[in-house]
Amino acid sequence: MRRLVLAALLAWAPLPGARADQVAVPLGDAEAGAEIFRQCRACHHVGEGAQNRIGPHLNGLFGRPAAGLPDFDYSDSMERAGADGLVWDLEHLHAYIENPRSLVSQTRMVFPGIADATQRSDFLAFLRRYSDDPANIPEAAPTALAVEIVLPPEVLGLEGDAEYGAYLAAECLTCHQADGGNDGIPSITGWPDEDFVVAMHAYRQKLRPHPLMQMMAARLSDEEIAALAAYFGDL
Amino acid sequence: MTLNRRRFLGTSAVAVTLGAPMLKAQATPRVVVVGGGAGGATAARQIAQDSEGAIDVTLIEPSRTYYTCFFSNLYIGGFRDMNSIAHDYATLAAEYGINVVHDWATGVDRDAKVVALAGGASVPYDRLILSPGIDFVEGSVPGWDLSAQTRMPHAYKAGTQTALLKAQVEAMPQGGTFVMVAPPNPYRCPPGPYERVSMVAHVLKATNPTAKIIIADPKPGFSKQALFEEGWQKHYSGMIERIGPDFGGENTSVNAADMSVGIDGEVIRADAVNVIPAQKAGLICAAAGLTDGDWAPVVPATMQSRMDENIHILGDATQQGDMPKSGFSANSQAKVAAMAIRGALTGSRVFPARFSNTCWSLIDTNDGVKVGATYEATEEKIAKVAGFVSDTGEAPELRAATYEESIGWYAGITADMFG
Ligand SMILES: Cc1cc2nc3c(=O)[nH]c(=O)nc-3n(C[C@H](O)[C@H](O)[C@H](O)COP(=O)(O)OP(=O)(O)OC[C@H]3O[C@@H](n4cnc5c(N)ncnc54)[C@H](O)[C@@H]3O)c2cc1C
């Protein structure tokens, strides 16, 4: 099953037409997804006032544990999946919609699945509208996919670009103080470049445990880490 | 940076120069920033620092002292004193050469590109930044308006309101009742009301352990709910009751004269009442014709108003997509706007916009939690791409470290805003 989930992950990666000033793309085309949802409406309702029907209502689906609605009578198989810790995030919804029985063997949902990854993405973009908004509940599921940032060639090159580093560093300086002060949050100024680079790669690879720093490092390219090291090294 | 004319003039004499003809007015582009809070102070400082004199920066802010809303709940809980959340603009004026004008902006003539001030002056700009924070939606809590704010404080703009609420909590009779009327979405600082309840409970547990806290809440759920509810159970068992919309929490009215709160028809007499009304963009946004409904829509990649490309809007006032209204978000957006403005006015390099936010909350002594995310610009909105949140059941050491981290963050962001 793990392989199947991975395959699904790769399948929704195409992301055409990303622009330089646009570094994320929507989960899919929600309007197209609304059309796909028509075939589900006999059993599932979503939107204001939606109630359970033959299937559970789909409001607040993202982030909901499997079999998570107290007043719906789920299959034993679904109950078990929930007890095992299955949570409906984007990855697992993709896998389930692709082939419901891959994830929940005896599910009562009589639906063959959607083979086409783009269609699934559109469908899930539509459903995502009816779950928590991160503006109100910051821990709510993402609403977009990150795109590898494509930078002009002069920005690239592993010799750290300190000017680019200065811009990237602005993000670090919300917490880490420019003057090297360290109450509660460590100082990151004046390190040897190499130590800085190694530490950031360790966060990016999730070898160092801090979840906030893992998140920040996750979207830094090799060049960007080099740029930051160059900037903070000279501070 | 050289010691220039502005440093000599300091903050008070600047208003005089505004009326006079501007020297080199053609040569040096002018950025005017309205609001010296999390968004505005950051943007003013970033632009002044990075442009090294190539841009003339004016900051318009009525207050001489800015009290951060962040950590104002910790003041209520007794973890910080009022001085420690107070900041002034002296360094921005003296060391960054920013013209700090203590006045209200009353309107914007977008065709002439001039901001009108209450004191009568008008300030021309090439680019304008608005970061005025929030104002309250009138009538959102029946029975409450600004004239009731001394009896039933909102404490959602920090300073005297916060001090008043703390005093009222401390003056409650033994076994008394504290009621919070929580706001509907969207509002500044999603976990803020619930951190506040934690801090009020912390005070009451020590001094008034039989007191009760009632939250009337129009929202079905709230940020870090599982973490707060776990913490309330652990530290303040039996003290806090939340009445959500299924039990009429969205149908709440107040009467400041007899200190009562009506929740779905049932009237509760209270000893302290914290009313946090529904919110909208700071009034100057609507006055400038930049709002759509309650908020000011912006272009994600630059934070430009969707209605005027010469105006950038930051922070709580904006409608931008997925970022919560927080000081961290406003600070992050300010950096993107500062880069875009410098690029437009001086041709400096522009990089793809990136945003982030983390909100720490304190539940009880050394019991800190956090939620954070990274965001990127799509054409349509600022969109969340990744995030994390503290887990329930974390070890006390980790919670203590998280609290320590929040202290570091506070020192970092306030240095980043005020120099
Ligand atoms: C209780 C509480 C706790 C919070 N905790 C946190 C936290 O832990 N972390 C976090 O990140 N955020 C927190 N916040 C949220 C944070 O305070 C706000 O999101 C942030 O201050 C928004 O920045 P801003 O620049 O939009 O507005 P503000 O910081 O409010 O600044 C607006 C400024 O504009 C000025 N102004 C308004 N109108 C005019 C005008 N017409 N002319 C001139 N000046 C004007 C005001 O005087 C004010 O100084 C908290 C908020 C509250 C209420």
Side-chain angles (χ1 to χ4, degrees):
Chain A
M1 180 199 302
R2 174 150 287 267
R3 222 182 296 130
L4 196 142
V5 169
L6 262 181
L9 258 167
L10 293 176
W12 28 280
L15 319 172
R19 300 200 328 244
D21 62 344
Q22 186 186 321
V23 287
V25 292
L27 301 182
D29 176 350
E31 299 306 326
E35 286 302 312
I36 298 173
F37 184 70
R38 286 169 169 278
Q39 59 187 304
C40 315
R41 283 194 313 206
C43 302
H44 289 285
H45 282 190
V46 72
E48 206 176 325
Q51 300 288 334
N52 295 331
R53 310 284 293 182
I54 296 168
H57 75 74
L58 300 177
N59 290 344
L61 177 63
F62 282 72
R64 184 200 289 172
L69 293 177
D71 50 356
F72 185 79
D73 184 21
Y74 293 95
S75 66
D76 290 347
S77 217
M78 188 63 83
E79 295 279 0
R80 206 169 306 120
D84 287 348
L86 177 63
V87 172
W88 293 124
D89 57 18
L90 188 63
E91 183 184 339
H92 290 95
L93 284 167
H94 254 284
Y96 189 61
I97 299 305
E98 183 179 10
N99 176 1
R101 287 178 199 283
S102 72
L103 217 50
V104 185
S105 309
Q106 315 270 311
T107 179
R108 268 193 224 125
M109 182 160 84
V110 188
F111 179 63
I114 303 175
D116 183 279
T118 308
Q119 283 188 14
R120 284 201 306 275
S121 293
D122 294 347
F123 174 71
L124 290 173
F126 167 75
L127 280 188
R128 178 65 190 81
R129 287 182 173 175
Y130 301 97
S131 291
D132 288 336
D133 182 343
N136 302 323
I137 302 202
E139 58 268 39
T143 66
L145 302 172
V147 183
E148 181 79 34
I149 302 173
V150 187
L151 286 170
E154 72 267 21
V155 175
L156 302 174
L158 282 180
E159 193 58 41
D161 173 347
E163 205 182 329
Y164 185 36
Y167 169 61
L168 296 172
E171 188 161 56
C172 315
L173 291 171
T174 303
C175 300
H176 298 277
Q177 293 177 57
D179 68 3
N182 63 338
D183 21 16
I185 288 186
S187 165
I188 55 170
T189 56
W191 289 25
D193 280 13
E194 200 182 304
D195 292 6
F196 191 99
V197 169
V198 167
M200 292 307 292
H201 280 273
Y203 282 121
R204 198 173 70 184
Q205 291 168 27
K206 304 201 189 304
L207 296 172
R208 289 197 178 203
H210 197 273
L212 197 167
M213 284 305 303
Q214 289 177 355
M215 176 183 84
M216 301 309 283
R219 65 166 169 177
L220 292 172
S221 66
D222 295 353
E223 290 78 10
E224 289 169 333
I225 290 177
L228 280 169
Y231 175 79
F232 279 115
D234 291 345
L235 211 62
Chain B
M1 181 173 301
T2 50
L3 293 190
N4 57 20
R5 169 179 63 94
R6 279 167 267 140
R7 172 160 195 165
F8 170 67
L9 291 169
T11 60
S12 53
V14 177
V16 180
T17 66
L18 290 172
M22 292 274 259
L23 290 171
K24 295 195 300 173
Q26 305 293 17
T28 312
R30 295 154 304 191
V31 170
V32 174
V33 182
V34 172
T42 305
R45 180 174 161 276
Q46 291 277 321
I47 294 171
Q49 171 177 278
D50 294 343
S51 68
E52 297 174 335
I55 296 176
D56 201 74
V57 182
T58 299
L59 175 62
I60 298 164
E61 162 63 51
S63 310
R64 282 168 196 277
T65 306
Y66 176 84
Y67 294 94
T68 57
C69 278
F70 24 109
F71 275 24
S72 68
N73 286 330
L74 273 61
Y75 157 80
I76 292 174
F79 293 89
R80 300 287 285 215
D81 62 25
M82 193 57 107
N83 268 336
S84 77
I85 61 168
H87 304 269
D88 66 40
Y89 299 92
T91 308
L92 292 184
E95 290 186 14
Y96 294 88
I98 295 168
N99 300 309
V100 180
V101 179
H102 290 300
D103 204 342
W104 276 99
T106 51
V108 180
D109 181 336
R110 284 163 42 193
D111 294 329
K113 297 212 273 181
V114 167
V115 180
L117 304 188
S122 45
V123 192
Y125 63 84
D126 295 300
R127 288 287 172 115
L128 174 63
I129 296 176
L130 299 179
S131 192
I134 52 137
D135 273 295
F136 300 118
V137 175
E138 278 166 44
S140 72
V141 178
W144 193 94
D145 61 23
L146 281 178
S147 72
Q149 71 173 356
T150 45
R151 286 181 65 78
M152 295 185 166
H154 53 78
Y156 236 60
K157 299 183 181 186
T160 48
Q161 275 282 303
T162 323
L164 195 60
L165 184 64
K166 180 175 171 65
Q168 290 179 0
V169 169
E170 289 168 354
M172 281 169 56
Q174 289 299 309
T177 301
F178 173 94
V179 180
M180 168 185 282
V181 181
N185 291 325
Y187 60 94
R188 70 169 22 164
C189 196
Y194 310 95
E195 180 187 57
R196 173 169 294 165
V197 160
S198 307
M199 292 295 96
V200 169
H202 172 81
V203 169
L204 293 176
K205 184 181 172 183
T207 58
N208 190 348
T210 54
K212 288 267 172 283
I213 296 175
I214 296 170
I215 309 168
D217 204 332
K219 305 179 293 297
F222 60 88
S223 177
K224 302 185 209 169
Q225 182 162 0
L227 294 164
F228 279 114
E229 288 177 351
E230 177 194 54
W232 293 346
Q233 184 65 35
K234 177 172 173 201
H235 303 293
Y236 315 117
S237 178
M239 184 179 262
I240 301 166
E241 182 191 358
R242 175 170 168 271
I243 302 172
D246 6 352
F247 294 94
E250 89 282 34
N251 184 11
T252 299
S253 61
V254 299
N255 182 339
D258 68 1
M259 288 296 284
S260 68
V261 180
I263 304 176
D264 210 22
E266 192 194 331
V267 176
I268 299 167
R269 304 260 159 230
D271 302 290
V273 180
N274 176 202
V275 175
I276 309 175
Q279 296 163 26
K280 61 182 180 184
L283 294 173
I284 187 72
C285 293
L290 299 171
T291 48
D292 176 10
D294 286 336
W295 308 100
V298 293
V299 177
T302 57
M303 302 304 293
Q304 275 161 305
S305 164
R306 294 239 186 228
M307 293 155 196
D308 188 330
E309 61 180 12
N310 296 312
I311 302 180
H312 299 245
I313 309 176
L314 307 176
D316 292 354
T318 59
Q319 178 189 304
Q320 36 68 22
D322 292 352
M323 294 185 85
K325 298 184 186 300
S326 75
F328 201 127
S329 295
N331 171 272
S332 174
Q333 292 161 9
K335 291 165 182 173
V336 168
M339 174 185 61
I341 290 170
R342 282 204 302 123
L345 296 181
T346 68
S348 64
R349 283 164 69 186
V350 175
F351 304 103
R354 49 205 292 147
F355 305 89
S356 54
N357 175 61
T358 297
C359 288
W360 283 266
S361 302
L362 186 61
I363 302 178
D364 197 356
T365 309
N366 283 327
D367 193 357
V369 292
K370 62 185 168 183
V371 55
T374 54
Y375 305 85
E376 290 174 349
T378 67
E379 215 145 279
E380 177 212 348
K381 63 174 185 174
I382 299 180
K384 176 173 173 177
V385 294
F388 71 89
V389 57
S390 296
D391 287 325
T392 51
E394 283 173 346
E397 295 74 29
L398 178 54
R399 291 296 178 86
T402 301
Y403 171 57
E404 280 293 305
E405 205 173 81
S406 73
I407 296 173
W409 165 76
Y410 186 89
I413 192 173
T414 51
D416 205 32
M417 290 163 63
F418 297 106

